[in-house]
Amino acid sequence: MSALRRLFPPAAALALLATAVAYKPWLHAHLLHVVGPVLSDGFDTVVASAAWLVAAWGGSRIVDALATGTAERPARIPRLLSDLLRFFLYGFAVLAILAFVLDQPVTGLLATSGVAIAVLGFALRNMIADIFAGIALNIEHPYRIGDWIELSPGVAGRVDEINWRATRLITTEGTAIIVPNGIVAGSRFTNVSRPTPAFRVAVPVLLDQEVPVERAKRVLLSGLMCADGVLASPRPDVVVVEATANGVAYQARFWMEDGARVAIVRDGVLTAILGNLARAGIELAHQKREFRPRRSATNPPGTLRRRLLQQLDLFAAFDEAEIAELALALRKRRIPAGTAAVRQGEPGQSLFVIAEGVFDVQLDQGAVPVRLNRLSPGDLFGEMSLLTGQPRSASVIAGTDAVVYELDKDHVDPVLRRRPELARLLAELMAQRQTRNEEERVRQGRAGAAPPPVASQDLLARLRGFFKL
Ligand code: CMP
């Protein structure tokens, strides 16, 4: 429809010319007084030339219609091609005027201008190569507007425009890189947005040989699974790529989308990995030339557990002796991936601190469980049943092989009596989690007004009653 509308002006011009031809005798009689015999004789020439130009104009408007895309319908031919077609249409019209209207020998003209064209072509050879490369790129589509491409390490950006001569990339720094099409077509580049928007990134980490590979993989994987921007599917994984004198080289590999966010997601992954390694008491590999006492000689038993407890905000105010006493009460448990550390509805008498691995907290209601949260090393769970005596409010399932430390009610009770601020902190944590769970329940099924937040004061009062504080 819009193509027809575009053809209306050239059609009107052709109609005008046809009318002029029909009224030629009348016009001729009148024009003779005004413009004299010479111009009046040129009438046919002017009308025929105008007809050729109007035909070219009509053709170029059709090309325009095909080249202009809308939100619903993308352009059928690329801009580069439409510019070329327009150029040929007008060039053809000019040649036709020379050959058919002015009766000039066009073949001779083309032949004599051949040398000039060769000279011009030689001078503009790079530009011409770029233009033909641009046409090839437009036909082959190795990348499209919006794709993220990497030309060489560090030279990457989102394709913003592909024009006659060059491709324009916008980098994460907000700068534009203009690459001549000839260079893109003639070199190897990576299109990270194809064949699917997801692509894999690998982060290298070098750890000591002393760290068991299975444990290292568990800790690194939990870092990957906690970081923002890492896709859950395909799943992230950790592989050993090399074992050298300096240590074992691992690659933490994950899938993500959006090439512009690689640095941000890598940062999140490395931050999570380094945090988890520190919590697990694992250091990065060190140069083997330097002398270092073996850690087992320097770390008395229980150091790891104490370090883990010290890193929890909950025990920030505790002194060394109190931490040491609690650390002695911790029981280590290994939870294989996919198994539950606690099950919803079961009675519970203990609290868990995550040392390695990740856990998913989920509500088992209906056929499909509702995921409430993901917990990572340094987080704790099980506080609700321990403190209120209620059955477990949710299931906590290991997302990776995991290691947790369990603390029984018998050991927590005396500490709570001595340290009432611990009860306050736990009440706050429970209130936050319960509010969030209520919101999630409303979102999942029972529509209606948002529930009132669970007040930590109420919980604290209930807790005091429960523990007779
Ligand atoms: P408990 O009820 O003893 O057992 C299930 C545990 O899941 C619960 O204690 C909390 O520790 C934990 N939990 C419940 N809801 C959440 C949540 N929204 N975020 C994190 N942990 C939660």
Side-chain angles (χ1 to χ4, degrees):
M1 195 59 212
S2 79
L4 281 181
R5 223 176 301 132
R6 279 169 191 269
L7 276 181
F8 182 72
L14 269 184
L16 207 68
L17 288 173
T19 316
V21 172
Y23 284 90
K24 182 178 166 187
W26 182 85
L27 282 170
H28 197 266
H30 286 78
L31 282 179
L32 204 57
H33 311 295
V34 188
V35 293
V38 179
L39 269 183
S40 167
D41 290 346
F43 179 85
D44 287 349
T45 313
V46 170
V47 170
S49 306
W52 278 111
L53 289 175
V54 168
W57 182 30
S60 91
R61 287 187 69 97
I62 292 176
V63 172
D64 269 353
L66 294 176
T68 319
T70 59
E72 309 87 56
R73 186 182 60 79
R76 270 184 240 162
I77 54 171
R79 215 193 88 197
L80 188 67
L81 211 59
S82 71
D83 286 351
L84 263 183
L85 282 174
R86 260 194 299 271
F87 175 79
F88 281 120
L89 279 171
Y90 281 108
F92 182 75
V94 170
L95 284 179
I97 291 171
L98 286 174
F100 305 125
V101 181
L102 302 177
D103 269 339
Q104 295 298 315
V106 178
T107 39
L109 188 79
L110 283 178
T112 46
S113 58
V115 178
I117 288 173
V119 172
L120 203 66
F122 186 74
L124 299 177
R125 65 189 183 286
N126 286 343
M127 194 183 269
I128 291 168
D130 287 343
I131 290 170
F132 278 102
I135 294 170
L137 289 175
N138 270 289
I139 292 168
E140 266 182 47
H141 286 306
Y143 54 79
R144 290 167 197 263
I145 306 285
D147 283 1
W148 188 269
I149 64 171
E150 186 171 302
L151 296 172
S152 55
V155 184
R158 185 177 307 292
V159 179
D160 182 52
E161 190 187 350
I162 309 166
N163 64 26
W164 273 93
R165 213 187 56 75
T167 295
R168 188 171 66 185
L169 307 180
I170 302 295
T171 66
T172 41
E173 283 79 34
T175 52
I177 304 178
I178 317 290
V179 198
N181 289 332
I183 292 185
V184 191
S187 60
R188 212 192 77 160
F189 62 86
T190 312
N191 184 347
V192 298
S193 309
R194 313 251 156 203
T196 63
F199 58 94
R200 191 164 70 184
V201 179
V203 178
V205 180
L206 188 68
L207 297 179
D208 248 28
Q209 289 120 335
E210 283 170 23
V211 184
V213 171
E214 185 205 343
R215 180 163 184 240
K217 284 187 173 179
R218 194 164 59 219
V219 174
L220 296 178
L221 186 60
S222 58
L224 285 172
M225 290 180 71
C226 298
D228 277 347
V230 172
L231 294 181
S233 168
R235 279 174 72 83
D237 62 5
V238 178
V239 289
V240 175
V241 283
E242 213 179 2
T244 66
N246 279 331
V248 181
Y250 295 88
Q251 267 188 359
R253 307 187 301 179
F254 61 92
W255 291 77
M256 62 171 292
E257 286 177 354
D258 191 358
R261 296 192 64 236
V262 172
I264 298 167
V265 178
R266 273 178 78 103
D267 166 69
V269 163
L270 269 172
T271 307
I273 283 179
L274 292 177
N276 289 354
L277 286 173
R279 272 181 217 102
I282 301 174
E283 290 175 16
L284 293 178
H286 51 84
Q287 286 284 328
K288 292 296 177 286
R289 264 171 295 150
E290 42 178 288
F291 169 76
R292 276 189 159 227
R294 287 178 68 81
R295 200 170 320 114
S296 53
T298 55
N299 284 348
T303 308
L304 246 170
R305 295 168 192 214
R306 281 210 302 280
R307 212 182 285 159
L308 185 67
L309 291 179
Q310 273 162 346
Q311 281 165 357
L312 299 185
D313 290 342
L314 220 51
F315 305 116
F318 280 41
D319 61 28
E320 292 270 327
E322 284 171 308
I323 293 278
E325 184 192 330
L326 264 182
L328 279 181
L330 290 176
R331 266 189 304 128
K332 184 174 179 177
R333 280 185 52 191
R334 291 176 181 280
I335 318 280
T339 43
V342 302
R343 272 246 174 257
Q344 185 178 330
E346 284 176 359
Q349 295 283 310
S350 55
L351 178 79
F352 298 83
V353 182
I354 304 174
E356 294 168 18
V358 293
F359 284 87
D360 288 320
V361 182
Q362 64 182 44
L363 276 181
D364 299 325
Q365 55 173 36
V368 185
V370 178
R371 202 178 110 182
L372 296 171
N373 209 349
R374 171 160 284 180
L375 302 176
S376 53
D379 287 334
L380 55 88
F381 60 88
E383 79 291 349
M384 294 186 184
S385 296
L386 176 99
L387 298 177
T388 62
Q390 304 281 317
R392 297 290 186 197
S393 59
S395 295
V396 184
I397 315 282
T400 60
D401 289 343
V403 174
V404 291
Y405 286 100
E406 193 174 356
L407 197 56
D408 284 332
K409 187 172 187 309
D410 297 345
H411 292 105
V412 183
D413 282 359
V415 183
L416 276 177
R417 272 178 239 287
R418 258 200 333 266
R419 290 276 194 178
E421 74 269 22
L422 182 62
R424 186 179 54 77
L425 288 171
L426 282 172
E428 275 171 14
L429 181 71
M430 278 203 304
Q432 274 169 16
R433 288 178 169 178
Q434 288 190 340
T435 307
R436 185 173 173 161
N437 295 357
E438 271 311 311
E439 284 168 359
E440 189 59 37
R441 273 197 198 96
V442 170
R443 228 161 37 87
Q444 288 297 324
R446 291 175 279 129
V454 181
S456 59
Q457 287 308 322
D458 292 354
L459 279 172
L460 191 56
R462 271 193 264 158
L463 264 181
R464 289 212 164 104
F466 183 69
F467 283 99
K468 304 192 179 51
L469 295 176

